[in-house]
Amino acid sequence: MNDDVQRFLDRLTERNATRGPEPTWIAARRQAGAARFEALGFPHRRIENWKYTDVRDIARHDFALAGDADFSPAAAAALTLPLDGHRLTFVDGVFAPALSDLGDLPDGVQLMPLSQALEDNHEAVGGPLGRLTGVEFSPFAALNTAFMEEGAVVRLAPRTVVEKPIVLQFLSRAGEQAVMSHPRILIEAGGRSQATVVEHHVGEEGAANFTNLVEEIILERGAILTHYKLQEAPIQDRHVASIQVEQARDSRYTSFNLNLGGGLVRNDLVSDLNGQGAETTFQGLFYGQGRQHVDNHTLVNHNAPHTTSRENYKGILDDRAHGVFNGKVIVKRDSQKIEAEQSNANLLLSDRAEIDTKPELEIYADDVKCAHGATTGQLDEEAIYALRTRGIDAQTARGLLTLAFAGEVMERVDLDAVAERVELTVAGKLPERFNLAGLVETATALNEE
């Protein structure tokens, strides 16, 4: 065992020493996660799925364990999305009831921190928790399982429709020592239920923490879930996330994976289409500047016939930022009559920015409609000139064209608070005198030309 792995296991021993009595199955899963993490160690770049992402900055850092959820209400309010919804807030992975607002939850909805769910009815949580995300091949999932104690549980009873968004807010503090957290999210949507979940990762300037997230989403027959993951953590934060989705017949899952912050970011998103009529849509936008590194790996498994997947990821990279996109679609044997579309387009705003993109298809059936592709380019100087002839300065013209490039993803975002956060980061603060909607439409037309 190397020193990096031992350092994290020592922190686990430290945490276990402070735990009270817990059900046997939880302790057994922790032990299994720790043993698997010890066997695997941290991934290295000789592993194909980690070829372009170096995690030594995480492995070699001595992260402390978060102790409390103390966070200034005023500071939290400044970071919080202005959404009228049901909110759970966590500070460095610790539940913060004073910053949460459940409101009047409709009948058929359970929304609670994982710690409460384990205390109130651990048998109900024990079945689905860990069923989708195993620890066999993922060292970060194994590490999360070893530390698993807090996060969010969302349960929707059959035919329940939640009008307001469910917001899961994760705040990162700037402290004397960087801390790590391993939140676990479990979402179970009963048959023909419908909801929108907004997962928001944000923090104080100067925070340099490590978040290792594992999320399991189970959609029963006919369930509809729209899932926003807005990641705008401080520039020195490290963020690793594994999201696994299981879809039954006629279910619909829509993911908006919006990455704006973090110094080192890795997202793994997997959807298993297990029933006929199931549909999954992945909309992604990643924006990097400075020396940010953003790695998105997606996988869609068409395990049943008559299933549909659509994927559109856009990357915008400036300065010396590095982006990675690896999207794979697998059509299993006998999964006939499926449709799968995958696209990755990238915009490089600097000669030193870098993108590695690899869209993949594996097809083992013969009656399918599949397409995939990737493009990389820079801003069109003629389009910039055309906007400048309309009285727009060069910086604003570049911002408008950049925002227009992101428009294909952003026009599908239904929450104004989320869209405004993304637009402000991507385009910068634009002069108020401009008719933004009209100019973006013009810029989009120029981009297409």
Side-chain angles (χ1 to χ4, degrees):
M1 185 194 314
N2 63 40
D3 292 340
D4 298 336
V5 172
Q6 185 62 56
R7 186 182 307 111
F8 281 78
L9 293 178
D10 288 344
R11 290 298 190 193
L12 178 62
T13 301
E14 178 183 337
R15 174 65 86 199
N16 288 339
T18 65
R19 296 188 200 276
E22 60 184 6
T24 303
W25 69 264
I26 298 179
R29 290 191 191 180
R30 289 195 209 285
Q31 293 171 4
R36 192 56 183 159
F37 172 68
E38 181 179 348
L40 292 173
F42 284 97
H44 48 75
R45 298 180 70 175
R46 293 189 302 276
I47 299 174
E48 181 64 26
N49 278 348
W50 293 88
K51 181 178 180 181
Y52 300 109
T53 298
D54 188 345
V55 300
R56 284 179 294 180
D57 177 61
I58 295 174
R60 296 176 178 177
H61 202 94
D62 186 17
F63 294 103
L65 299 171
D68 55 49
D70 184 29
F71 202 95
S72 162
L79 298 172
T80 297
L81 287 170
L83 286 171
D84 179 20
H86 313 286
R87 186 186 311 274
L88 286 182
T89 299
F90 303 85
V91 177
D92 294 334
V94 179
F95 177 55
L99 302 177
S100 301
D101 182 10
L102 296 182
D104 295 324
L105 287 171
D107 293 338
V109 179
Q110 293 183 6
L111 174 61
M112 65 188 73
L114 176 62
S115 55
Q116 180 184 336
L118 291 173
E119 182 177 346
D120 292 350
N121 190 1
H122 70 85
E123 292 91 349
V125 178
L129 195 66
R131 180 165 64 84
L132 303 186
T133 304
V135 301
E136 186 66 23
F137 303 108
S138 172
F140 284 104
L143 184 63
N144 176 283
T145 301
F147 279 92
M148 179 179 61
E149 61 183 353
E150 192 55 285
V153 174
V154 181
R155 279 204 183 97
L156 309 177
R159 300 183 182 276
T160 299
V161 177
V162 187
E163 300 292 345
K164 295 181 179 180
I166 295 170
V167 183
L168 308 178
Q169 179 175 247
F170 296 87
L171 300 176
S172 181
R173 282 183 299 193
E176 294 182 2
Q177 185 175 3
V179 300
M180 62 177 172
S181 62
H182 305 272
R184 193 76 167 227
I185 298 175
L186 174 63
I187 301 175
E188 295 181 275
R192 294 179 173 80
S193 61
Q194 186 172 345
T196 295
V197 173
V198 180
E199 182 186 329
H200 186 207
H201 299 265
V202 66
E204 295 178 314
E205 185 176 352
N209 301 321
F210 168 42
T211 298
N212 177 30
L213 171 76
V214 169
E215 189 163 356
E216 296 168 294
I217 301 173
I218 301 170
L219 304 184
E220 299 296 341
R221 181 170 182 172
I224 299 174
L225 181 69
T226 302
H227 179 203
Y228 292 89
K229 182 173 184 284
L230 175 59
Q231 193 282 110
E232 49 178 352
I235 197 66
Q236 295 179 357
D237 259 20
R238 301 88 164 171
H239 182 93
V240 177
S242 173
I243 302 173
Q244 184 88 29
V245 186
E246 181 182 76
Q247 295 186 236
R249 182 173 186 139
D250 297 326
S251 62
R252 283 190 287 165
Y253 173 73
T254 302
S255 164
F256 288 93
N257 188 9
L258 309 170
N259 286 274
L260 308 178
L264 174 60
V265 179
R266 168 66 179 242
N267 289 302
D268 285 273
L269 174 59
V270 180
S271 184
D272 288 321
L273 303 175
N274 293 339
Q276 295 189 35
E279 297 182 11
T280 194
T281 301
F282 292 171
Q283 297 284 348
L285 178 67
F286 53 98
Y287 175 84
Q289 54 187 329
R291 289 182 173 270
Q292 283 181 271
H293 180 94
V294 185
D295 181 349
N296 286 295
H297 272 60
T298 67
L299 172 62
V300 178
N301 288 310
H302 286 267
N303 297 327
H306 298 280
T307 51
T308 303
S309 66
R310 299 180 180 88
E311 181 170 6
N312 184 24
Y313 265 64
K314 291 208 167 188
I316 302 171
L317 302 169
D318 202 355
D319 304 321
R320 301 187 68 175
H322 184 193
V324 180
F325 173 80
N326 188 310
K328 179 181 284 189
V329 175
I330 300 179
V331 181
K332 300 296 178 63
R333 195 175 306 278
D334 298 326
S335 294
Q336 309 292 355
K337 303 291 185 182
I338 72 100
E339 294 186 20
E341 298 176 2
Q342 183 189 93
S343 174
N344 171 230
N346 303 287
L347 179 63
L348 303 183
L349 303 178
S350 164
D351 291 337
R352 296 178 296 175
E354 183 180 353
I355 181 71
D356 291 290
T357 178
K358 185 182 179 184
E360 299 179 83
L361 290 175
E362 287 187 20
I363 303 173
Y364 301 98
D366 52 18
D367 189 3
V368 301
K369 293 181 180 179
C370 297
H372 72 295
T375 61
T376 300
Q378 296 179 318
L379 289 177
D380 188 341
E381 293 298 328
E382 292 185 3
I384 295 175
Y385 175 78
L387 286 173
R388 296 203 64 186
T389 62
R390 291 168 168 81
I392 301 172
D393 64 85
Q395 181 177 351
T396 302
R398 289 174 62 87
L400 287 168
L401 288 168
T402 304
L403 186 58
F405 174 81
E408 191 177 353
V409 172
M410 296 310 301
E411 67 185 8
R412 292 171 169 79
V413 173
D414 290 331
L415 300 177
D416 291 342
V418 174
E420 289 171 4
R421 285 288 182 97
V422 177
E423 290 169 357
L424 184 61
T425 299
V426 171
K429 188 170 178 58
L430 300 174
E432 294 181 0
R433 70 179 186 275
F434 291 134
N435 177 354
L436 180 59
L439 284 173
V440 170
E441 184 178 347
T442 300
T444 301
L446 290 171
N447 262 344
E448 292 174 350
E449 292 176 3

